[in-house]
Amino acid sequence: MSSVCTIFADMNTYQQLYQRLSHLYEKGEAQAIVRLLLDMRFDLSLADIYAGKVTELSPNDTIELEKMMGRLEAGEPVQYVLGQASFHGYIYKVCPGVLIPRPETAELVDWIAEDRRPDLSVLDIGTGSGCIAVTLALLLPQAKVTAWDISPVALQVAAENARKYDADVTVVKQDTLQALADGRQWDVIVSNPPYIAEQERAAMDRNVLDYEPSLALFVADDDPLLFYRAIARYAIKSLKNGGELFFEINPRYINELQSLLADIGFTVVEVRNDQYGKQRMIKASCKR
């Protein structure tokens, strides 16, 4: 084993590692992926990496690094390789079958939490990893947060993430498209539903298409607002007077979504851009 590890170590300088990903990523992104891997899995700081300590890993770690690099070279997202992703300063478990949390979703969480009374009742529809629900529960510790999803994998992962941080989140199996008002009233309903039209697949990265769950990403071209419509119809009956509905959105359909919300009965509608300048979030108020 030692001779094999020596060969691996000779091949595993930082530069050689990130160059192995050059067929998939630009240089800067490849470097960031390798740094993240070395930091989170092997506890190597940036100073350690530049000091060449990658070549000083133990035999077992060297073999593990090579396995992980093989997965990265095949296009698997680094978050799945690590089994975790950073979101809003917390580390969440992720795995294939659960959408990887994005930075723009953290901005949506901040919008919900700002200037908000602490004792909210919150429903997160299509929770995935639970990153929205758990983070809101941590930011608003007096809130009562419920998280819905239809995927057994997502429900399990969301529950694990809630337990990890001792967050007050109730995880419930529920099909978004079959949700019926049951008399429960919420202060806030939030969702990051599937919103990428099938026709947009061609412009997307292979590591997303090949590994992340299509169920959480895509919607049919002929009805891109399918989930928004179902959620809004549930929300208009299930939000308290003055309650608010928050969505992460596809900028391509912002005008249609605003019209849909108005038709269903929502009044004050506000759109916000994400950090990249794209219209990515919308808030609608339910006032009776």
Side-chain angles (χ1 to χ4, degrees):
M1 178 186 290
S2 60
S3 61
V4 173
C5 289
T6 300
I7 293 172
F8 284 160
D10 289 342
M11 296 170 57
N12 283 345
T13 67
Y14 170 55
Q15 182 177 10
Q16 289 167 331
L17 289 173
Y18 73 71
Q19 285 178 342
R20 290 169 62 178
L21 305 181
S22 62
H23 64 293
L24 292 171
Y25 306 103
E26 297 292 335
K27 178 180 177 181
E29 188 173 3
Q31 290 174 325
I33 289 170
V34 171
R35 287 198 303 268
L36 182 65
L37 179 70
L38 294 174
D39 177 16
M40 297 189 76
R41 172 58 183 85
F42 301 99
D43 199 27
L44 292 179
S45 68
L46 186 60
D48 292 334
I49 292 169
Y50 284 128
K53 292 190 177 181
V54 181
T55 61
E56 299 174 14
L57 292 174
S58 70
N60 286 339
D61 280 349
T62 299
I63 291 173
E64 181 66 17
L65 173 60
E66 185 60 26
K67 290 179 180 177
M68 292 177 128
M69 285 301 303
R71 293 170 66 183
L72 290 174
E73 286 179 285
E76 187 171 354
V78 64
Q79 293 88 349
Y80 289 157
V81 174
L82 289 166
Q84 59 187 24
S86 176
F87 180 83
H88 210 287
Y90 300 99
I91 301 298
Y92 286 95
K93 176 180 178 179
V94 295
C95 64
V98 174
L99 194 67
I100 296 169
R102 263 61 173 189
E104 51 268 34
T105 306
E107 297 179 66
L108 178 63
V109 168
D110 283 333
W111 191 11
I112 296 169
E114 69 183 26
D115 300 323
R116 191 75 56 181
R117 77 172 200 270
D119 57 337
L120 295 173
S121 57
V122 180
L123 173 62
D124 175 25
I125 297 180
T127 196
S129 67
C131 62
I132 292 177
V134 174
T135 304
L136 283 172
L138 296 173
L139 293 174
L140 303 166
Q142 295 180 49
K144 299 298 182 182
V145 182
T146 299
W148 286 358
D149 210 293
I150 189 61
S151 162
V153 175
L155 292 167
Q156 179 180 343
V157 170
E160 288 183 31
N161 283 324
R163 286 194 296 269
K164 175 181 178 180
Y165 290 109
D166 195 24
D168 186 5
V169 176
T170 302
V171 178
V172 176
K173 185 176 183 179
Q174 174 64 55
D175 184 347
T176 301
L177 300 179
Q178 300 298 323
L180 298 174
D182 58 3
R184 181 158 187 186
Q185 297 286 286
W186 311 91
D187 294 296
V188 170
I189 295 176
V190 56
S191 184
N192 176 17
Y195 61 63
I196 302 173
E198 288 286 345
Q199 62 185 324
E200 297 178 74
R201 279 181 180 267
M204 296 181 66
D205 294 333
R206 295 305 312 175
N207 61 333
V208 175
L209 293 174
D210 292 346
Y211 290 94
E212 296 202 59
S214 293
L215 182 67
L217 289 169
F218 294 104
V219 68
D221 292 335
D222 61 355
D223 194 5
L225 300 182
L226 172 66
F227 289 93
Y228 293 100
R229 185 183 306 105
I231 294 167
R233 286 174 174 169
Y234 170 81
I236 200 67
K237 298 177 181 178
S238 303
L239 281 168
K240 297 176 183 178
N241 185 31
E244 294 175 323
L245 173 62
F246 290 83
F247 281 128
E248 186 168 323
I249 60 177
N250 186 336
R252 295 179 60 162
Y253 303 108
I254 181 61
N255 293 332
E256 294 90 335
L257 179 55
Q258 287 178 295
S259 296
L260 181 148
L261 290 171
D263 290 344
I264 287 175
F266 287 93
T267 53
V268 180
V269 175
E270 180 183 354
V271 177
R272 284 194 182 182
N273 293 352
D274 63 19
Q275 60 186 308
Y276 307 109
K278 293 184 177 181
Q279 292 178 311
R280 186 64 65 187
M281 298 161 274
I282 193 167
K283 175 176 72 173
S285 295
C286 176
K287 293 186 178 180
R288 300 184 182 90

